[in-house]
Amino acid sequence: MSTYVLTAAPPLDRGRHRSSISTRTWRRVRLATSLSVVGVATVAGVGLGLGGATTSPVSIAAPAPAPASSQVRDVPGVVDDDGSADGPSRGRSHHR
Amino acid sequence: MSGPGFVRTVLAAIGAGALLTVGLALAGLPSTGAGIAPFLAHACGLVAGYLACVMVVLMARIPVLERRVGPDVLARWHARGARIFIALVLGHAGAAVVAWSQVRGTDPVTAAREVLGMPGLLAATVGTVLVLGVGAVSIAAARRRISFEAWHAVHLLTYLAIVLSFPHQLAGPDLAGRPVLQVAWALMHAYALGAVLRYRVVGPLETTWRHRLRVVAVLPEADGVVSVVMRGRHVDELGAQAGQFFRWRFLTASTWRTAHPFSLSAVPHGDHVRITVKALGDGSGLIHSVRPGTLVLAEGPSGAMTARRRTRPSVLLIAGGVGITPMRALFESIDTVPGGLTLLYRASRPADVVFRDELEAIARARSARILWLVGRSTDPDLQMNARNMRRWVPDVAERDVYLCASPALAAAARTAVRDSGLPRRHLHEEDFSF
């Protein structure tokens, strides 16, 4: 059985306080790190979300009649009421 | 908020998010012409996307969840949620093909081929295959055949699967063309992955830079059991409590790839911390060979089995084998009334007993009692049952009980204390076998 008593300094621990910062400063560094990650995630999320607005939508539901006022453009891979294949579009009302 | 209250709140928040997502699927359906298949496809797909983020967050090692819910509980939720997630993904795919075949009036095979040709579907399908692979290696029968390290490496593919399926999620009819919802959905994913980045990648690097933990000694304790003593700076800032553990990554050529959860086997003393490890698998076996001077990455502290859970004046600690490690730290530090602390230590052989000298010294210093239960499990006097438990600790029902042992012994001890009249809320344990 060993006894948990250590008195000798570890051999690779030289200069252990050389670059130490205070606990308060360290907490600030950690907070700043967290906020940086939140900031990057926010920018990435907003960017991806807005970028996704240009993604070609996919629907497997039956198409619904388009409102008369909507600007109907074609959607790839989606079938219109007349059964024809679609082209590019950002709208959604016509491909339901 | 109490531990159970906090747990209920977290579960309620997860459930509320799922309901909100189903509502989103309902709102996204066209007013006419939609059958059950499109709704199932929408709802399963959206809830699966939401659940993927929840699964990631549960495993992101967010400190408040790790300390107040407990990593073993989070791992159980993750495992159960993952089964639901896989079922939802398969349900989404199946319902989408059926819906498309109905719309097109074609057979399911043709419909499946056409659906796969839609934008983003190929990548999403690859993601689904990856998730199914991860699920396959997590099935108990497969899990037993592969090492923890291999299982963990395969699990990392889940992140790739989420990234691959993300464009398909944004292109879904419930989100596409609705910038606010698209941004909200993307933010949910970004924050989930951001939490992983913060707490699983940056956190350990930060801790390493700040604390510079290095191995200073590897001490034999019992057959196949060693203590690893590490020294660092500002160790008090780690905020580690008795009963908690860290995930340790020893930076040697053979051990740096995987972090292993090991409990502190003593309350941190000054600038030292100590863990005690039994060689049970490939990773823990290699840790026996680390040398003094090895740099260590530590993630934590984690674990809710601390003195904070104690609400009664007297405490019983139950340890089995190497499960003594967190109990040793609690035995040293947990507050009780004088004479109100008992340690029940079960081991198969005298050679398996760890910390005998230390435990006896602590018992003398704290006027605590140790019950050594050493011998074969066939001995009726050593069997963990309610009759013996009441004989060993007559007031067990009036104490807080902390338990750490192998799954079989833990199950027997759980039954023994519950059958002895201990209310469930006063039994505190963590399953370290995840």
Side-chain angles (χ1 to χ4, degrees), chain B residues 29-294:
Chain B
L29 279 178
S31 54
T32 57
I36 186 71
F39 170 70
L40 279 179
H42 288 206
C44 287
L46 275 178
V47 178
Y50 164 75
L51 212 49
C53 289
V54 172
M55 296 296 99
V56 169
V57 167
L58 292 180
M59 291 293 101
R61 306 204 181 135
I62 298 170
V64 68
L65 295 179
E66 294 274 306
R67 292 174 195 175
R68 301 196 64 180
V69 178
D72 60 329
V73 176
L74 293 171
R76 270 201 300 277
W77 290 356
H78 178 82
R80 287 173 192 163
R83 292 186 196 111
I84 298 171
F85 169 73
I86 288 174
L88 287 169
V89 169
L90 293 176
H92 168 68
V97 169
V98 169
W100 189 246
S101 69
Q102 289 170 353
V103 167
R104 299 281 288 178
T106 61
D107 62 281
V109 175
T110 306
R113 201 178 298 132
E114 290 178 4
V115 167
L116 275 176
M118 292 179 177
L121 255 295
L122 194 58
T125 304
V126 172
T128 302
V129 170
L130 290 178
V131 164
L132 291 177
V134 172
V137 299
S138 300
I139 295 170
R143 175 71 187 84
R144 282 194 292 270
R145 285 185 166 81
I146 63 171
S147 66
F148 170 79
E149 289 74 15
W151 173 82
H152 184 258
V154 172
H155 240 72
L156 295 178
L157 292 174
T158 310
Y159 298 114
L160 177 62
I162 291 172
V163 170
L164 286 172
S165 67
F166 183 73
H168 169 59
Q169 293 180 44
L170 277 195
D174 306 291
L175 300 177
R178 299 174 175 179
V180 173
L181 287 180
Q182 283 186 311
V183 168
W185 198 258
L187 280 174
M188 179 175 74
H189 283 74
Y191 287 142
L193 293 176
V196 173
L197 177 69
R198 176 66 186 93
Y199 297 112
R200 295 191 68 161
V201 180
V202 177
L205 294 173
E206 208 177 52
T207 303
T208 303
W209 182 82
R210 176 65 170 168
H211 302 292
R212 311 272 170 98
L213 283 168
R214 285 183 186 274
V215 174
V216 290
V218 180
L219 308 169
E221 298 284 2
D223 277 0
V225 180
V226 297
S227 280
V228 180
V229 182
M230 288 158 277
R231 185 172 181 176
R233 56 190 196 182
H234 310 292
V235 168
D236 57 312
E237 288 175 2
L238 289 169
Q241 299 174 51
Q244 289 189 306
F245 68 90
F246 288 77
R247 292 175 178 86
W248 307 93
R249 194 183 295 269
F250 294 88
L251 300 184
T252 70
S254 55
T255 55
W256 68 272
R257 291 178 190 84
T258 313
H260 292 272
F262 295 121
S263 297
L264 298 174
S265 56
V267 177
H269 290 282
D271 50 6
H272 288 88
V273 291
R274 184 183 74 173
I275 59 172
T276 300
V277 180
K278 183 171 186 177
L280 293 171
D282 296 345
S284 52
L286 288 169
I287 287 165
H288 285 219
S289 62
V290 297
R291 294 180 178 282
T294 300

Side-chain angles (χ1 to χ4, degrees), chain B residues 305 318-320 322-324 326-327 402-406 410 428-430 432:
Chain B
M305 195 177 64
I318 302 175
V322 78
I324 188 63
M327 295 299 153
Y402 290 74
L403 169 63
C404 186
S406 65
H428 317 293
E429 57 175 324
E430 272 178 350
F432 289 88

